[in-house]
Amino acid sequence: MNRYALAVRRWWTVLLAYVLLVAVGGTMGDGVLPVPTLTGGMAGARVAYFTPVLVVIAVMYCLDRRLPSAESTAVVPVRRLDQAAVFLTAVLAPGAGLLVGMDVARNTILLLSLGLVAWRLSNEATASAVGLLFLIANVMLGRVHDGMGHASHTWWALALYPGRSVGAWLVAAVLFAVALKLSAAGPRGTER
């Protein structure tokens, strides 16, 4: 099964995605990308907001690589291996967050959760896109100004919460637990 995880599923690509996340977040993380707003102006979003998508794409790439005949005859259920690898991916996020920011770690877990739910309902390509669309919606629609004119975020824009927000971490953790449970059955149409 170890060879299957490395040669077929290629779970090592998730580690490469984390290395890339840390490299991009460490060098360009404070850089700002222009993002249009619905009010007609341009807002800026830190590059670091978009780096968790790299990890989600890597996970979906690994989950997409299958050998159905080998998986159906395997002694160890491959889905357990996948569940363990996805759980390990989430566990590694705070370690990367120590280097690039805990908000990036939380967003990695949050986007991975959304990706797993989308993967369960649709396919890997959709799962990768859902996280990016969620981030764009957060940046475009999730910013508001309070009564004193200071920029803030709406209650639902979890990707914009600071890394120290316990509530945002709790929501991400609960969503990840639900997504992990839902994804245990695999993508739609492959249930046994």
Side-chain angles (χ1 to χ4, degrees), residues 10-32:
R10 296 186 181 173
W11 281 108
W12 52 268
T13 59
V14 174
L15 294 175
L16 289 179
Y18 270 121
V19 168
L20 188 59
L21 179 140
V22 169
V24 170
T27 57
M28 299 179 2
D30 290 333
V32 177

Side-chain angles (χ1 to χ4, degrees), residues 120-145:
R120 174 69 177 112
L121 299 175
S122 184
N123 60 25
E124 291 79 9
T126 303
S128 297
V130 163
L132 183 59
L133 292 175
F134 179 74
L135 287 175
I136 292 171
N138 274 244
V139 172
M140 288 180 67
L141 305 172
R143 294 187 178 171
V144 294
H145 294 286

Side-chain angles (χ1 to χ4, degrees), residues 45-133:
R46 289 183 22 224
V47 172
Y49 283 133
F50 297 101
T51 55
V53 175
L54 297 170
V55 175
V56 175
I57 289 171
V59 169
M60 293 307 140
Y61 167 76
C62 294
L63 291 174
D64 187 37
R65 299 186 51 81
R66 294 187 205 72
L67 290 176
S69 59
E71 290 181 23
S72 65
T73 60
V75 175
V76 177
V78 176
R79 294 213 174 130
R80 284 191 196 166
L81 174 74
D82 291 341
Q83 291 291 314
V86 169
F87 183 76
L88 182 61
T89 300
V91 168
L92 290 175
L98 292 173
L99 300 171
V100 294
M102 292 308 280
D103 57 338
V104 174
R106 183 207 52 239
N107 288 347
T108 301
I109 294 170
L110 181 65
L111 297 184
L112 184 59
S113 303
L114 293 173
L116 288 172
V117 171
W119 175 69
R120 174 69 177 112
L121 299 175
S122 184
N123 60 25
E124 291 79 9
T126 303
S128 297
V130 163
L132 183 59
L133 292 175

